[in-house]
Amino acid sequence: MSFISSYTIESSDMIYTHTHPHAHIILPVQKTFFIQFGGRSHEVTPRQLAFVPPNVSHTYSCNGLSITLNIPAEMVKPVDLALLTENRVVDVDERLELLVNLIKQEVQGPESSNESLRYLFYYLYDRLAERYRTPSLRHIHANYAGRISIAELAAIEGYSAPYYTDWFKKKVGCMPSEYLQALRIEKAQEILNTTHYRVLDVALQVGYANCSSFVRAFKAVTGMTPNEYRRQESKESR
């Protein structure tokens, strides 16, 4: 099981630059937090939060108090990474305010619980990912197990099919078919982790007509077969 760690950063005149394999969620508590990466600079206020993707060099400084969550890379879904990175600074509206305050209290409390922090992070993550999904992305998430055509997705956004394909790749970082495959395999991983269904049953549940095409797709995304993945997860959970 992956664990989220956290730390606080006090006010400092120092400017730091580093790279690490985990992602960051940055929650300013007092004053502002400066962050720069990917050719863009931001001053994040206590009414905002920031997301820094894994394996990206970033420069930062802090003129007040901020909380940083270290998020293991495997807890950031590949299908959401481009959108979260593009929308890296988020205004904390009324829907997020209570949740963000609970995270801050959990980190600053005398007996911070990793399990509680993990639960709060996943709730926050779902809210952020859902906020930035376009109508066609929401359609893919709602109907990933069925047949989905480019023409259908393009019509949802009001584009022609060729324009939609280019637009999608620029916005999400991959082709629609690649996104759909990654989402199906992500859902298959969840089923393999939580049930004893046969591989064929899992394949049918996530939109594959036969076992062989599912196994090929699963290995292309994860580097292992569904049975190998299930055995590995079973060992790690012991």
Side-chain angles (χ1 to χ4, degrees), residues 168-179:
F168 188 98
K169 187 170 183 179
K170 289 176 183 177
K171 190 171 189 64
V172 182
C174 64
M175 299 294 284
S177 59
E178 295 171 328
Y179 186 95

Side-chain angles (χ1 to χ4, degrees), residues 5-229:
S5 61
S6 63
Y7 59 93
T8 57
I9 302 176
E10 302 286 348
S11 178
S12 171
D13 294 328
M14 298 292 291
I15 297 177
Y16 304 91
T17 299
H18 64 189
T19 306
H20 40 67
H22 53 267
H24 275 330
I25 295 287
I26 299 166
L27 305 170
V29 179
Q30 299 169 354
K31 299 186 178 179
T32 59
F33 188 99
F34 169 81
I35 186 78
Q36 180 182 48
F37 68 92
R40 291 160 59 186
S41 301
H42 306 275
E43 290 189 3
V44 189
T45 75
R47 295 293 305 171
Q48 297 174 311
L49 62 84
F51 171 80
V52 182
N55 300 307
V56 171
S57 177
H58 50 283
T59 299
Y60 68 95
S61 64
C62 183
N63 64 5
L65 175 68
S66 290
I67 291 171
T68 298
L69 304 181
N70 295 327
I71 312 300
E74 61 268 23
M75 295 178 70
V76 181
K77 300 174 183 178
V79 295
D80 295 324
L81 185 57
L83 287 176
L84 291 176
T85 302
E86 176 65 23
N87 301 284
R88 61 191 67 175
V89 176
V90 178
D91 291 333
V92 177
D93 58 17
E94 291 182 0
R95 294 186 65 197
L96 291 179
E97 185 174 16
L98 177 59
L99 181 56
V100 169
N101 287 339
L102 285 173
I103 293 173
K104 290 178 178 179
Q105 291 171 20
E106 183 64 35
V107 172
Q108 294 177 299
E111 298 180 0
S112 180
S113 163
N114 186 275
E115 190 60 32
S116 297
L117 200 56
R118 180 185 175 88
Y119 174 81
L120 290 169
F121 164 73
Y122 273 130
Y123 193 30
L124 174 64
Y125 178 97
D126 287 343
R127 290 288 182 89
L128 295 179
E130 178 61 26
R131 174 183 287 193
Y132 294 111
R133 286 179 188 141
T134 65
S136 62
L137 281 172
R138 295 193 187 102
H139 182 79
I140 292 173
H141 277 258
N143 301 279
Y144 65 87
R147 289 183 175 274
I148 300 176
S149 69
I150 294 296
E152 178 183 2
L153 296 173
I156 290 172
E157 300 290 353
Y159 299 142
S160 67
Y163 182 87
Y164 175 79
T165 300
D166 292 339
W167 171 85
F168 188 98
K169 187 170 183 179
K170 289 176 183 177
K171 190 171 189 64
V172 182
C174 64
M175 299 294 284
S177 59
E178 295 171 328
Y179 186 95
L180 177 59
Q181 175 176 272
L183 179 61
R184 284 173 167 173
I185 299 309
E186 174 196 309
K187 298 298 183 182
Q189 288 174 300
E190 293 175 5
I191 298 171
L192 290 166
N193 284 337
T194 56
T195 73
H196 297 289
Y197 291 148
R198 298 177 305 163
V199 171
L200 175 59
D201 295 329
V202 177
L204 295 173
Q205 287 186 57
V206 299
Y208 290 91
N210 58 68
C211 194
S212 60
S213 61
F214 170 60
V215 172
R216 284 196 301 271
F218 194 97
K219 191 167 185 178
V221 173
T222 68
M224 62 186 81
T225 68
N227 282 327
E228 290 170 342
Y229 174 81

